[in-house]
Amino acid sequence: MAADPDGGSGSKDDDMVKVIDLTTSVNGTFGNPEGSPGSVFGASGTAARTKTGKEFGLFGFTCTVLPPLPSTPVRQCNTTFSTPQGQITLQGLPTSSDEFHEVITGGGGIYTGAQGCAAFERLAPGDDAPFRVILFLREDSTSKRALPTIVCGKRVES
């Protein structure tokens, strides 16, 4: 994976993890997150660097409501961040709409071969509320060198 042109934080050779801290702004939503199983909902908007406010790109997500577990809603969600340098795709099974994690399943452009996870945190109530999204990207996925296992920012000893 090539270097992030806006620089993400994170250490180099030690952890091989790039951290990209974003805040989203929702431009439009559809569907009902509390709908019956099979219902689809989603949103799209823009994402900016949390610290600087510099535009990162666009995002969109769709979720399908699944049959609930006892007193726990379950959704299957797919999210994409699209930047001028490439795309990052994510997927997850959130059981909360306020804080959840998704796995980075791939990417294109400078994010080709992206791996890792993302932590989502809703910053205000409401379906169109902004989220803080922290992407933890594992770098150098083609290297034969062993990389740490990352669980949304926490190193896991294997």
Side-chain angles (χ1 to χ4, degrees):
M1 179 174 3
D4 178 3
D6 293 325
S9 62
S11 58
K12 295 278 183 213
D13 298 322
D14 191 21
D15 289 344
M16 304 293 288
V17 175
K18 179 187 301 286
V19 178
I20 302 175
D21 190 347
L22 304 171
T23 300
T24 66
S25 178
V26 174
N27 293 345
T29 64
F30 71 92
N32 179 3
E34 305 304 321
S36 60
S39 300
V40 178
F41 67 95
S44 63
T46 58
R49 299 284 180 159
T50 297
K51 289 183 181 179
T52 65
K54 183 175 180 180
E55 184 177 321
F56 181 71
L58 305 175
F59 81 94
F61 75 87
T62 60
C63 297
T64 302
V65 178
L66 301 177
L69 298 172
S71 71
T72 303
V74 181
R75 301 159 179 100
Q76 171 66 50
C77 297
N78 298 294
T79 305
T80 301
F81 286 91
S82 182
T83 76
Q85 295 81 30
Q87 293 189 354
I88 302 168
T89 58
L90 305 101
Q91 185 172 7
L93 200 66
T95 57
S96 167
S97 59
D98 293 327
E99 288 189 29
F100 57 93
H101 300 101
E102 290 186 354
V103 175
I104 296 172
T105 57
I110 69 167
Y111 303 108
T112 297
Q115 299 177 25
C117 63
F120 290 74
E121 177 186 6
R122 187 182 301 273
L123 298 176
D127 292 341
D128 59 353
F131 276 90
R132 181 174 184 197
V133 181
I134 303 176
L135 301 171
F136 298 94
L137 295 166
R138 289 178 58 183
E139 295 197 294
D140 198 16
S141 61
T142 59
S143 169
K144 295 183 191 254
R145 189 178 133 178
L147 296 176
T149 300
I150 303 299
V151 179
C152 284
K154 298 176 185 162
R155 181 178 236 163
V156 176
E157 299 301 325
S158 20

